[in-house]
Amino acid sequence: MKNSVNRELPEELLKRLSYEAFETTEIGHPSIQRVAPTVHVSTGDDKVVDSIKEVVKNTVKDGMTISFHHHFRNGDFVFNAVMREIIDQGIKDLTLAPSSLTNVMNDMVIEAIKAGTVTNITSSGMRGSLGDFVSHGGLENPVIFRSHGNRARAIEHGDIKIDVAFLGVPNADRLGNANGMEGDAVFGSLGYALMDAQYANTVVLLTDNIKPYPNTPASIRQTQVDYVVKVDKVGDPEKIGSGATRFTKDPKELKIASTVNDVIVNSPYFKDGFSFQTGSGGAALAVTRYLRQAMIDNQIHASFALGGITKPTTDLLNEGLIDRVMDVQDFDKGAAESMHTNGKQQEIDASWYADPDNKGAMVDQLDVVILSALEIDTKFNVNVMSGSDGVIRGAIGGHQDAATAKLTIISAPLVRGRIATVVPDVTTVVTPGESVDVLVTEYGIAINPNRKDLISALSSLPGVPVYSIEELQKMAQDKVGEPKPLEFTDRTVALIEYRDGTLIDTIREVKD
Amino acid sequence: MKNSVNRELPEELLKRLSYEAFETTEIGHPSIQRVAPTVHVSTGDDKVVDSIKEVVKNTVKDGMTISFHHHFRNGDFVFNAVMREIIDQGIKDLTLAPSSLTNVMNDMVIEAIKAGTVTNITSSGMRGSLGDFVSHGGLENPVIFRSHGNRARAIEHGDIKIDVAFLGVPNADRLGNANGMEGDAVFGSLGYALMDAQYANTVVLLTDNIKPYPNTPASIRQTQVDYVVKVDKVGDPEKIGSGATRFTKDPKELKIASTVNDVIVNSPYFKDGFSFQTGSGGAALAVTRYLRQAMIDNQIHASFALGGITKPTTDLLNEGLIDRVMDVQDFDKGAAESMHTNGKQQEIDASWYADPDNKGAMVDQLDVVILSALEIDTKFNVNVMSGSDGVIRGAIGGHQDAATAKLTIISAPLVRGRIATVVPDVTTVVTPGESVDVLVTEYGIAINPNRKDLISALSSLPGVPVYSIEELQKMAQDKVGEPKPLEFTDRTVALIEYRDGTLIDTIREVKD
């Protein structure tokens, strides 16, 4: 059968894994029975454990679901240390359910799959050697990709039932009160990890910094933690920052950023008290800089900024141009440090950020979001997961979630090298065109035809040519030619859930 | 049958209400499956409701369990306003499950019982006309009294399943982000209410102060809230403070406070990094003042102070004599304001404070606690619930919970007027003697014979005569004579749970 974004979904798969096909971005008003963990009662005096070996032996059994967070990004030392022990102890058939997988984890995941230690994975994304390995059929069961909001939803529903969460933190006391703001390897908000701390049956903290009891502020609390493991180092501070926090000098990126700013400023949403999410990356930082100037020039301030936070955003908070920063993760040290000193930078968990089955998430209140794309097609469907060669090399992140904003802008170059970004049909549908409003390229913009209000607001901006999405697709094709169709086998290697848990697309094994 | 504190428990009652008899203060290491609420999904844009009438109509049905918090104490306007509507709408057969009941609620509760609106009550306590009404058989089903920690436990187990929580707050935004620290009717920590916000199926906030969105710091979060009702005034700021924040000048109270201080300072627990809970009331404030001087003189500072917090305690925090204040409720405006400005004053919920079925609660880490008593008997059992006339006039509060401290001191006068405090058998056992270590009276102290270490540490303090508890009881009896035995009917009007949910005592109907 085909779902509402015209993707063929194997009936057998839908049935076997009890999936509904994606229909709509509307969530509606269902009543949801949430789940809760099993608590192993203790006074808390026996939590400190000397070795990872011991805690793995005490907690992990064949067939369990284990989890990690990715707040350390490529500076993470915790994942590999724990997985090394788990593999060495011969544990089998685990489901790996981290908030995401970063490149520094790739070799270990591949080893764990080959050893039979890991037989199922759910993640926000994967890249590099692991994406390649999975795309070529390296894992028997399909990987399930979920957005950050959908992971929160799945945990709160019990679709992901975490047996043991291994959470690295830059500080903790002997009972497990911890935050992400103090220590050598600070990353700021613990947003994604707060879900694991609340819902996992067993919570293991790993830290290189045991603080006097009681340690506050406590983002993770002693009432959630079973074990505290002292390790030498939880992470490499130099590699925790995303790296892409440098302001771009690329004229193409600057042109796109300036056009994004034009679109925002001329939209009906640019008024006092508006809200926005920009994200990281050189172009996003450039947008923030343009937006800052426009806010000053128009005497407009924002009620909140959302999402993965960078220093340019916290600078706006400190300048008084933004009232609140709602912070589910920080992309650089400056943003992490600001959370420690500025009470208006509120740490939020992934559920509050974006769980659609909620009493209102932050993304539901968002006016403007700027998102990226590996591909966008003439139905405005966006792919941030697979490359033009069909290989997995991305992450959903908050893409589907934040696209619920009132004004969703996709910022992307028309082509990258010899590869078109605007295509007739994306390789993998991650975010449905229904929730995308404007595409901004270096050549001009395209507006979703459903948004007549935006068409009239944005159609006569000086220096901002408006095209139909089909015209932009043709322009791209004229530049790089028509690629050879990709060849896949019949085997499904990954499932893309929409944020409500329905199936929006699948990824098949690449044929070599 | 009799339980381990020698209280006769009707077999029929144990069976009908599925109670276990109290055995021991030891909690052990059970595995507990927690419960979770049902969430009614919404984007959050439709939460603001104009009238209490409308929200009651939308949410409360016959037979439900409804809850309130008592952080406004005798300044509460919310309880009566909501209950007025509920009674007027003719709703029947409700279970009332507030964190506690204060005197200002008494008339309305009695009216609700008489109207058949309320047919079951669980509370920390009750006093005045309501205690009298219940003690004389005014409510058909027995009231269940639970400590603050036990209420948290019962909510987390599902023993109390809250359908609708009505929570008054001094500020909230239109989606329900709220705290107790800003506005006209501030009370500081929302500690008890945080349980209701997390576990109730439907959460209604009532506030006189709608703040711009998003309102932070958010102790209660938009993800927990279904409705926000704007009312004229949530409370009377003058009556929120407990009143008893004045330093005592009563020579008897000062003598007791000074002796309590002697006991603490000469115990093995008075060393750098110790922790304590004092509570409110003139004598408790005097203890804090003596303790402050002893800490300065001995160059000792405390790792944390716990429990209901008063300004004298936050003053110690600001002086650097305490590292952290772990704050489940504030008894005066000074303490409430300090939470807003001092990051070392951590708001904690009732579960973190004292739920025994936990991965370590604060009370499990407590060194020294000073508690009060209406009666204490020769087995060191303490009654804080019923008067010497058998009438309900008290509250368990955190009494059973904090009595788990390493050094539990009961501070009480030997007699009050013509009534003995130290008695052969307390009227109602609330806190078992097993968890009580020292009784301090104005005549001297008695040490629990199980605590040989304390007997040797405290037996030769100048000016602190040590008696056996039987000797103190005889001294009291010599002063006031032997009272006539109380007369009760066979009918049970209230149940006293121990903090683990077992039955420690019952209260019977008073015979007039």
Side-chain angles (χ1 to χ4, degrees):
Chain A
M1 69 164 296
K2 284 188 171 176
N3 65 14
S4 72
V5 287
N6 211 32
R7 294 287 145 151
E8 186 67 47
L9 304 177
E11 302 264 6
E12 177 275 330
L13 196 90
L14 289 172
K15 205 167 160 185
R16 179 161 51 90
L17 300 176
S18 303
Y19 267 110
E20 307 274 331
F22 168 75
E23 269 185 51
T24 168
T25 60
E26 293 296 321
I27 301 300
H29 300 280
S31 283
I32 304 291
Q33 176 59 51
R34 293 222 170 139
V35 297
T38 301
V39 168
H40 310 292
V41 173
S42 138
T43 58
D45 288 303
D46 47 1
K47 291 186 185 180
V48 177
V49 176
D50 277 342
S51 75
I52 296 176
K53 176 179 265 175
E54 189 185 339
V55 80
V56 165
K57 199 177 273 182
N58 287 345
T59 59
V60 185
K61 311 276 171 250
D62 289 0
M64 279 187 167
T65 295
I66 62 171
S67 76
F68 300 83
H69 69 70
H70 72 293
H71 287 289
F72 290 115
R73 282 173 293 273
N74 280 316
D76 193 308
F77 291 170
V78 166
F79 181 88
N80 286 339
V82 172
M83 287 304 296
R84 175 81 275 141
E85 263 309 322
I86 291 178
I87 295 171
D88 288 353
Q89 291 188 22
I91 298 164
K92 305 291 176 196
D93 199 22
L94 299 181
T95 295
L96 188 61
S99 55
S100 199
L101 290 165
T102 59
N103 281 339
V104 74
M105 307 168 184
N106 284 354
D107 290 349
M108 190 63 74
V109 177
I110 293 171
E111 184 182 339
I113 294 171
K114 288 180 173 168
T117 300
V118 166
T119 49
N120 282 282
I121 297 177
T122 178
S123 175
S124 162
M126 53 179 60
R127 294 183 171 88
S129 58
L130 178 60
D132 218 55
F133 180 79
V134 168
S135 290
H136 287 87
L139 181 68
E140 193 180 325
N141 299 308
V143 171
I144 301 175
F145 288 113
R146 293 176 163 112
S147 72
H148 294 319
N150 186 23
R151 179 176 192 262
R153 186 205 59 76
I155 291 173
E156 295 187 317
H157 277 231
D159 298 342
I160 299 175
K161 189 93 201 80
I162 302 167
D163 292 296
V164 191
F166 293 94
L167 306 176
V169 281
N171 63 72
D173 64 31
R174 63 185 172 78
L175 267 82
N177 296 299
N179 64 62
M181 296 181 281
E182 288 173 272
D184 289 335
V186 297
F187 47 72
S189 175
L190 267 160
Y192 304 131
L194 296 180
M195 301 309 300
D196 308 59
Q198 193 182 338
Y199 284 91
N201 283 338
T202 301
V203 175
V204 180
L205 296 192
L206 300 97
T207 190
D208 49 18
N209 183 15
I210 303 263
K211 303 263 283 182
Y213 180 87
N215 181 35
T216 70
S219 303
I220 293 177
R221 306 166 198 169
Q222 65 183 70
T223 52
Q224 304 173 315
V225 176
D226 295 89
Y227 296 94
V228 178
V229 187
K230 174 81 170 64
V231 297
D232 281 346
K233 279 202 164 306
V234 285
D236 178 351
E238 296 310 308
K239 295 181 179 163
I240 295 174
S242 64
T245 56
R246 171 193 51 81
F247 191 78
T248 184
K249 285 175 180 158
D250 178 336
K252 189 162 78 176
E253 287 194 335
L254 282 173
K255 171 72 182 151
I256 293 174
S258 136
T259 306
V260 166
N261 183 62
D262 287 339
V263 168
I264 295 170
V265 168
N266 291 285
S267 79
Y269 306 105
F270 189 65
K271 56 187 181 197
D272 205 48
F274 86 118
S275 59
F276 67 92
Q277 172 174 326
T278 51
S280 68
L285 298 191
V287 171
T288 305
R289 188 188 280 194
Y290 286 118
L291 199 53
R292 172 179 175 277
Q293 196 55 52
M295 288 167 75
I296 293 171
D297 292 346
N298 294 278
Q299 293 186 290
I300 279 177
H301 84 293
S303 56
F304 68 89
L306 183 61
I309 303 301
T310 56
K311 185 163 184 303
T313 304
T314 58
D315 286 347
L316 296 189
L317 180 69
N318 290 320
E319 267 188 273
L321 288 170
I322 307 177
D323 281 343
R324 294 288 189 281
V325 166
M326 305 303 275
D327 190 348
V328 72
Q329 75 174 318
D330 297 287
F331 283 128
D332 57 41
K333 202 164 181 166
E337 273 166 5
S338 163
M339 198 177 90
H340 198 15
T341 55
N342 194 328
K344 294 182 171 182
Q345 191 170 340
Q346 167 92 41
E347 185 174 42
I348 61 174
D349 64 29
S351 174
W352 188 356
Y353 171 55
D355 177 2
D357 283 351
N358 221 333
K359 300 179 181 180
M362 288 309 305
V363 293
D364 294 324
Q365 300 301 316
L366 193 58
D367 288 323
V368 179
V369 67
I370 301 105
L371 296 168
S372 64
L374 291 173
E375 296 175 331
I376 177 167
D377 69 22
T378 51
K379 281 72 66 183
F380 286 87
N381 296 321
V382 178
N383 170 22
V384 286
M385 185 53 75
S386 56
S388 63
D389 54 358
V391 172
I392 296 164
R393 61 177 79 238
I396 307 180
H399 204 284
Q400 296 170 339
D401 304 310
T404 57
K406 296 186 184 67
L407 173 58
T408 299
I409 301 168
I410 302 294
S411 118
L414 194 70
V415 298
R416 290 181 174 96
R418 297 302 304 160
I419 296 165
T421 304
V422 191
V423 296
D425 284 287
V426 291
T427 308
T428 307
V429 180
V430 170
T431 298
E434 184 186 337
S435 58
V436 172
D437 300 307
V438 181
L439 166 65
V440 175
T441 73
E442 69 276 36
Y443 292 95
I445 69 172
I447 302 167
N448 190 321
N450 293 334
R451 292 301 303 267
K452 309 232 181 299
D453 58 331
L454 292 177
I455 293 169
S456 68
L458 303 173
S459 282
S460 50
L461 303 182
V464 182
V466 179
Y467 297 98
S468 74
I469 187 85
E470 291 81 5
E471 285 170 327
L472 286 180
Q473 185 269 313
K474 277 213 153 39
M475 282 168 63
Q477 189 172 315
D478 288 349
K479 285 179 195 300
V480 297
E482 204 168 340
K484 220 171 50 174
L486 293 175
E487 290 194 79
F488 297 99
T489 74
D490 282 343
R491 181 165 160 210
T492 302
V493 298
L495 309 174
I496 314 287
E497 288 191 8
Y498 186 61
R499 62 196 294 264
D500 63 358
T502 61
L503 201 58
I504 192 160
D505 207 348
T506 64
I507 299 178
R508 282 180 296 153
E509 184 185 16
V510 172
K511 195 181 263 180
D512 280 319
Chain B
M1 72 162 294
K2 283 187 171 178
N3 66 12
S4 72
V5 288
N6 210 33
R7 293 288 144 152
E8 186 67 48
L9 305 176
E11 302 265 4
E12 177 275 331
L13 195 91
L14 289 173
K15 204 166 163 185
R16 178 161 51 89
L17 301 175
S18 304
Y19 268 110
E20 306 274 330
F22 168 75
E23 266 184 53
T24 167
T25 59
E26 293 296 321
I27 301 299
H29 299 281
S31 284
I32 304 291
Q33 177 59 51
R34 292 224 170 137
V35 298
T38 301
V39 168
H40 311 291
V41 173
S42 142
T43 58
D45 288 304
D46 49 0
K47 292 187 185 181
V48 177
V49 176
D50 277 341
S51 74
I52 296 176
K53 177 180 264 175
E54 188 184 339
V55 81
V56 164
K57 200 178 271 181
N58 287 344
T59 59
V60 185
K61 309 278 172 248
D62 289 359
M64 280 187 165
T65 295
I66 63 170
S67 76
F68 300 84
H69 68 69
H70 72 294
H71 287 288
F72 290 116
R73 281 174 292 273
N74 280 315
D76 193 306
F77 291 169
V78 166
F79 181 88
N80 287 337
V82 172
M83 287 304 297
R84 173 82 275 139
E85 263 310 322
I86 291 178
I87 295 171
D88 288 353
Q89 291 189 23
I91 298 165
K92 304 290 176 195
D93 199 21
L94 299 179
T95 294
L96 187 61
S99 55
S100 199
L101 289 165
T102 59
N103 281 338
V104 75
M105 308 168 183
N106 284 353
D107 290 350
M108 190 63 76
V109 178
I110 293 171
E111 183 182 339
I113 293 170
K114 287 179 174 169
T117 300
V118 166
T119 48
N120 282 281
I121 297 177
T122 177
S123 175
S124 162
M126 54 179 57
R127 294 184 170 88
S129 58
L130 178 60
D132 217 53
F133 180 79
V134 168
S135 291
H136 288 86
L139 182 68
E140 192 180 326
N141 299 308
V143 171
I144 302 175
F145 288 113
R146 292 176 163 111
S147 73
H148 293 320
N150 186 24
R151 180 176 192 262
R153 184 204 60 75
I155 290 172
E156 296 188 317
H157 277 232
D159 298 342
I160 299 175
K161 191 92 200 82
I162 302 167
D163 293 295
V164 191
F166 294 94
L167 307 176
V169 282
N171 63 75
D173 64 32
R174 63 186 171 79
L175 266 83
N177 296 300
N179 64 61
M181 295 180 283
E182 289 173 90
D184 289 334
V186 297
F187 47 71
S189 175
L190 268 159
Y192 303 131
L194 296 179
M195 301 309 301
D196 308 60
Q198 190 182 339
Y199 285 91
N201 283 338
T202 300
V203 175
V204 180
L205 295 192
L206 300 99
T207 190
D208 49 18
N209 183 16
I210 303 262
K211 303 263 284 183
Y213 181 87
N215 180 36
T216 72
S219 303
I220 293 176
R221 308 165 198 170
Q222 65 184 71
T223 53
Q224 304 173 317
V225 176
D226 296 87
Y227 296 95
V228 178
V229 187
K230 174 80 170 67
V231 297
D232 281 345
K233 279 205 164 304
V234 285
D236 178 351
E238 296 309 309
K239 295 182 180 161
I240 295 174
S242 63
T245 56
R246 169 194 54 81
F247 190 79
T248 184
K249 284 176 180 156
D250 177 336
K252 190 161 77 174
E253 287 194 336
L254 282 174
K255 171 69 182 156
I256 293 174
S258 137
T259 305
V260 166
N261 184 60
D262 287 338
V263 167
I264 295 171
V265 168
N266 291 285
S267 79
Y269 306 106
F270 188 64
K271 55 189 181 197
D272 206 48
F274 85 119
S275 58
F276 66 92
Q277 173 174 326
T278 52
S280 68
L285 299 190
V287 170
T288 305
R289 186 188 279 194
Y290 286 118
L291 199 54
R292 173 179 174 277
Q293 197 55 51
M295 290 167 74
I296 293 171
D297 293 346
N298 293 278
Q299 292 186 291
I300 278 177
H301 83 295
S303 57
F304 67 90
L306 183 62
I309 302 300
T310 56
K311 185 162 185 302
T313 303
T314 58
D315 286 347
L316 296 189
L317 180 70
N318 290 320
E319 268 186 272
L321 287 171
I322 307 177
D323 280 344
R324 294 290 188 280
V325 166
M326 306 303 276
D327 191 348
V328 72
Q329 75 174 316
D330 296 288
F331 283 127
D332 57 42
K333 202 162 182 169
E337 274 166 5
S338 163
M339 199 176 90
H340 199 14
T341 54
N342 194 330
K344 295 184 170 179
Q345 190 169 342
Q346 166 91 43
E347 185 175 42
I348 61 174
D349 64 27
S351 174
W352 187 356
Y353 170 54
D355 177 2
D357 283 350
N358 221 333
K359 300 179 181 181
M362 288 309 303
V363 293
D364 295 324
Q365 301 301 316
L366 192 58
D367 288 323
V368 178
V369 66
I370 301 104
L371 296 169
S372 64
L374 290 173
E375 295 175 331
I376 178 167
D377 69 20
T378 50
K379 281 71 67 183
F380 285 88
N381 296 321
V382 177
N383 170 22
V384 286
M385 184 51 76
S386 56
S388 62
D389 54 358
V391 172
I392 296 165
R393 60 177 80 237
I396 308 181
H399 204 284
Q400 297 170 339
D401 304 309
T404 58
K406 295 186 186 66
L407 172 58
T408 299
I409 300 169
I410 301 295
S411 115
L414 193 71
V415 298
R416 290 180 173 98
R418 296 302 303 161
I419 296 165
T421 305
V422 191
V423 295
D425 283 288
V426 290
T427 308
T428 307
V429 180
V430 171
T431 298
E434 185 186 338
S435 58
V436 173
D437 300 307
V438 181
L439 165 65
V440 175
T441 72
E442 69 276 35
Y443 292 96
I445 69 173
I447 303 168
N448 190 321
N450 294 335
R451 292 303 303 269
K452 307 232 182 300
D453 57 331
L454 292 177
I455 292 171
S456 69
L458 302 174
S459 281
S460 50
L461 302 183
V464 182
V466 180
Y467 297 97
S468 72
I469 186 86
E470 290 82 5
E471 286 170 326
L472 286 179
Q473 185 270 314
K474 276 212 154 41
M475 281 168 63
Q477 190 172 317
D478 288 348
K479 285 179 194 302
V480 298
E482 204 168 341
K484 222 172 45 174
L486 293 174
E487 290 193 79
F488 296 101
T489 74
D490 281 343
R491 182 166 159 209
T492 302
V493 297
L495 309 174
I496 313 289
E497 287 191 6
Y498 186 61
R499 61 196 297 259
D500 62 0
T502 61
L503 200 58
I504 193 161
D505 207 349
T506 63
I507 298 178
R508 283 181 294 154
E509 183 185 17
V510 172
K511 195 180 264 181
D512 279 318

